Amino acid sequence: MLKPALLALPGVIALFFTNVQAATPAATLHQQSCTSCHGSEVYTRPNHRIQGKPQLVKQVRRCTLAAGAKWFDDEIQAVADYLDKHYYHFSK
C-alpha cells in the first residue's frame, strides 16, 4: 500500500527543486530596496530615460541615496547588471 507513494516521491522532490529559484544577492537587494519605492513599470515603459549601461549605474546610485540604502559600489554594479539582464538588455 505504501509502495505507490514511495515511487511518486522522487518526482515530487524533483518538481519542488525545479520550481525553486535561488535569489541572487542583486535580486534580493532589488526586491528589498527598489520595489519598496516603485514597480517594474519604470523599467519597461516605452519612454524610459535610461539609454545605456553607464546611465543605469548612475541611476541605481541615485536611487540608493534617495532610498537611504547603504550599498557598496559592487552592490550598485550588481543591481545595475541585474536590471540590465532582466529589463534593459543593453549588454546584448
Side-chain angles (χ1 to χ4, degrees):
M1 194 60 104
L2 188 58
K3 193 172 186 177
L6 289 177
L7 291 174
L9 188 59
V12 172
I13 292 171
L15 182 62
F16 173 76
F17 282 108
T18 57
N19 289 326
V20 173
Q21 296 179 354
T24 63
T28 301
L29 288 170
H30 175 260
Q31 181 65 30
Q32 291 172 344
S33 295
C34 305
T35 60
S36 67
C37 188
H38 57 76
S40 64
E41 71 279 351
V42 300
Y43 315 132
T44 58
R45 62 186 174 200
N47 62 342
H48 61 78
R49 298 179 185 139
I50 306 301
Q51 298 299 316
K53 189 75 178 276
Q55 281 184 308
L56 181 57
V57 173
K58 287 179 184 177
Q59 184 61 44
V60 171
R61 186 177 306 282
R62 281 192 296 269
C63 288
T64 60
L65 295 173
K70 298 185 185 325
W71 292 358
F72 294 105
D73 289 341
D74 62 328
E75 293 170 318
I76 291 169
Q77 185 64 52
V79 171
D81 291 343
Y82 170 83
L83 292 172
D84 183 33
K85 179 180 178 182
H86 294 281
Y87 296 101
Y88 290 100
H89 310 290
F90 296 128
S91 303
K92 290 182 181 177

